[in-house]
């Protein structure tokens, strides 16, 4: 078809608009086949052509598969193939890396006309290579049954699409590989947490055997405390491998499960847990679990020497962006002048203070009935989400 200079200018301007539009789509694309289909639609529209197809090279068969296209019969896309040898226009573009124009396929002596194109009455075609640093993906081809001439400007337009496709394909493949690697890493991390939990359960079981094997009250107490600490860490790992996101943990669910486990040794005491919906980094789970375990265990031992009572575990975000975790009871309370940050005689209090520092929190004893310990963690955005 003959195009006058004004018409040619309008055509090139429209092509630039379409190419720019596709560039944005290529950057945002998350799936390859819809992007290839969109490229064929815009490329055909930009050249005023009846047909366009994206061909993926299949090295094992040395064939080019029609993976997307417009104008073709519906059953052609995803099934039809053309030769990838030098006697095929698309194959020549693939093997040489050079664009191919054939404006008179019926008189062509360089190439044979593929059956797919002959069946559709294609009279002229232009092919450009889709490639990137990973290698040649395939070919982008525009075809038409009408007389006319494809020229160098058409090649430039199509190569713009092919370049954008090549970059998008490289990105999508890299992202797919990264996703597989991350999924494998996630699986390995979950498996590791599960195995650590099982190993700690074995250690806790051995400690329980040692408790039953001694008559010394002090030894029994020390071994029982050690067993409780090991079981607390095991409970954290049991929670970790079950989380949807291995890097974060639901604090409410985590504390509820920990308190349920601690209730087994609460005796006549009632252990209550109330934690608001907060997600914390998984790295905080072990020290926080041990912190709660130590305070709950102390309350079970000393809060109600003559009977039974309630022990409460609470967790809530503060207005300043920090997090408060509290363990409270309504028992006999603490000795007059007791300072939890300076208590050095008890191993449990030393552990609690060390854990508070590890969690970048302030340990506060709140006045009132019984005992209420609060861990006021600093308002750091990287800790909570």
């Amino acid at each position: 078809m003959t195009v006058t200079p004004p018409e040619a200018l309008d055509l090139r301007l429209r092509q630039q608009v379409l190419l720019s539009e596709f560039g944005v789509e290529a950057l945002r694309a998350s799936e390859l086949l819809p992007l290839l289909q969109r490229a064929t639609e815009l490329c055909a529209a930009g050249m005023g052509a009846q047909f366009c197809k994206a061909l993926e090279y299949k090295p094992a068969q040395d064939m080019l598969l029609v993976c997307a296209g417009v104008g073709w019969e519906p059953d052609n896309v995803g099934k039809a193939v053309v030769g990838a040898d030098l006697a095929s226009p698309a194959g020549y573009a693939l093997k040489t890396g050079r664009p191919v124009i054939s404006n008179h396929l019926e008189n062509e002596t360089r190439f044979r006309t593929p059956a797919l194109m002959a069946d559709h009455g294609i009279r002229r075609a232009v092919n450009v290579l889709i490639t990137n640093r990973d290698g040649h993906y395939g070919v982008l081809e525009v075809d038409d049954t009408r007389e006319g001439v494809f020229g160098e400007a058409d090649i430039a337009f199509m190569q713009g699409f092919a370049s954008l496709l090549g970059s998008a394909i490289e990105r999508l493949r890299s992202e797919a590989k990264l996703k597989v690697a991350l999924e494998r890493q996630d699986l390995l991390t979950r498996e590791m947490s599960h195995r650590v939990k099982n190993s700690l359960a074995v250690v806790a079981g051995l400690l329980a055997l040692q408790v039953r094997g001694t008559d010394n009250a002090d030894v029994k107490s020390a071994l029982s405390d050690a067993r409780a600490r090991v079981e607390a860490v095991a409970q954290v790992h049991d929670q970790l491998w079950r989380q949807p996101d291995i890097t974060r943990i639901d604090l409410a669910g985590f504390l509820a499960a920990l308190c349920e486990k601690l209730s087994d040794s609460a005796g006549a005491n009632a252990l209550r847990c109330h934690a608001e919906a907060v997600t914390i980094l998984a790295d905080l789970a072990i020290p926080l679990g041990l912190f709660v375990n130590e305070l709950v265990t102390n309350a079970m031992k000393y809060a109600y020497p003559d009977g039974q009572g309630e022990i409460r575990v609470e967790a809530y975000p503060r207005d300043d962006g920090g997090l408060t975790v509290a363990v409270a009871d309504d028992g006999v309370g603490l000795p007059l002048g007791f300072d939890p940050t300076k208590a050095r005689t008890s191993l449990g209090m030393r552990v609690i203070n060390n854990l508070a520092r590890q969690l970048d929190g302030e340990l506060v004893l709140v006045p009132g009935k019984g005992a209420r310990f609060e861990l006021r963690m600093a308002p750091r955005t990287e800790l909570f989400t």
Side-chain angles (χ1 to χ4, degrees):
M1 104 180 51
T2 303
V3 180
T4 65
E7 291 175 335
L9 179 60
D10 289 342
L11 176 63
R12 301 312 168 200
L13 288 174
R14 173 167 169 71
Q15 287 179 345
Q16 291 304 310
V17 171
L18 292 175
L19 194 57
S20 177
E21 178 184 331
F22 181 71
V24 174
E25 295 187 32
L27 286 173
R28 295 175 176 173
S30 58
E31 296 182 40
L32 178 56
L33 287 180
L35 182 66
L36 289 168
Q37 182 60 34
R38 185 61 173 157
T40 61
E41 293 168 358
L42 293 178
C43 203
M47 293 177 63
Q50 298 168 304
F51 298 84
C52 184
K53 57 181 179 285
L55 298 158
E56 180 184 3
Y57 180 51
K58 299 294 184 181
Q61 298 83 29
D62 195 32
M63 299 291 283
L64 287 158
L65 172 69
V66 179
C67 55
V70 291
W72 311 98
E73 295 297 326
D75 59 349
N76 291 146
V77 177
K79 296 180 181 178
V81 295
V82 299
D85 56 296
L86 292 173
S88 159
Y92 186 88
L94 176 76
K95 296 297 176 64
T96 66
R98 295 162 55 188
V100 176
I101 293 178
S102 183
N103 285 313
H104 304 283
L105 282 172
E106 68 275 13
N107 300 322
E108 186 64 71
T109 58
R110 296 173 299 168
F111 314 110
R112 67 174 183 276
T113 301
L116 174 66
M117 298 168 70
D119 291 343
H120 285 79
I122 302 299
R123 301 181 67 178
R124 56 194 176 102
V126 56
N127 295 265
V128 296
L129 180 66
I130 303 172
T131 190
N132 53 44
R133 289 179 296 183
D134 295 335
H136 298 341
Y137 173 82
V139 172
L140 181 65
E141 178 177 324
V142 168
D143 307 295
D144 210 302
T145 63
R146 300 165 298 186
E147 290 188 2
V149 175
F150 290 129
E152 294 298 320
D154 296 312
I155 288 178
F157 173 63
M158 290 180 63
Q159 283 186 323
F161 274 87
S163 296
L164 290 170
L165 281 172
S167 297
I169 291 167
E170 182 179 337
R171 175 180 61 81
L172 290 171
R173 286 179 171 175
S174 296
E175 289 175 356
K177 290 177 182 177
L178 180 59
K179 182 180 178 182
V180 170
L182 289 174
E183 288 175 349
R184 176 169 174 76
Q185 182 64 38
D186 182 76
L187 179 62
L188 291 174
T189 303
R190 292 179 191 279
E191 179 64 19
M192 182 180 69
S193 283
H194 185 56
R195 292 189 180 189
V196 169
K197 174 252 184 182
N198 289 341
S199 298
L200 290 171
V202 172
V203 174
L206 293 173
L207 289 171
L209 288 174
Q210 288 187 305
V211 169
R212 291 195 291 270
T214 182
D215 296 325
N216 186 298
D218 291 337
V219 173
K220 278 182 177 288
S221 178
L223 289 173
S224 294
D225 287 347
R227 177 190 176 189
R229 290 175 183 127
V230 169
E231 287 180 335
V233 178
Q235 180 66 34
V236 173
H237 281 282
D238 186 51
Q239 289 289 308
L240 283 176
W241 76 270
R242 299 176 188 275
Q243 295 297 313
D245 182 352
I246 196 71
T247 65
R248 290 174 168 77
I249 193 165
D250 170 39
L251 183 61
F254 166 62
L255 289 179
L258 179 60
C259 289
E260 183 178 355
K261 183 69 175 178
L262 290 171
S263 294
D264 295 340
S265 54
N269 297 309
L271 183 56
R272 314 289 187 198
C273 179
H274 176 72
E276 295 187 24
V278 179
T279 302
I280 63 172
L281 297 179
D283 291 345
L284 301 175
I286 290 178
L288 195 57
L290 287 171
F291 177 85
V292 171
N293 178 79
E294 290 294 329
L295 287 173
V296 169
T297 300
N298 281 351
M300 289 176 180
K301 288 181 178 179
Y302 307 118
Y304 304 102
D306 299 324
Q308 63 187 39
E310 185 178 83
I311 301 169
R312 297 178 297 279
V313 175
E314 303 168 8
Y316 52 88
R318 301 191 306 274
D319 292 339
D320 65 357
L323 177 70
T324 294
V325 179
V327 177
D329 63 70
D330 301 317
V332 296
L334 296 162
L336 187 64
F338 180 84
D339 185 347
T341 63
K342 297 179 180 178
R344 300 300 179 196
T345 56
S346 164
L347 173 62
M349 285 309 304
R350 292 202 300 272
V351 170
I352 289 168
N353 277 289
N354 287 335
L355 291 168
R357 285 192 291 272
Q358 191 175 337
L359 290 161
D360 193 22
E362 178 188 6
L363 182 62
V364 178
L365 179 58
V366 181
K369 182 182 178 181
R372 180 181 176 86
F373 290 88
E374 289 188 356
L375 175 67
R376 298 173 183 173
M377 298 172 68
R380 291 166 51 189
T381 55
E382 68 270 22
L383 295 182
F384 321 118
T385 58

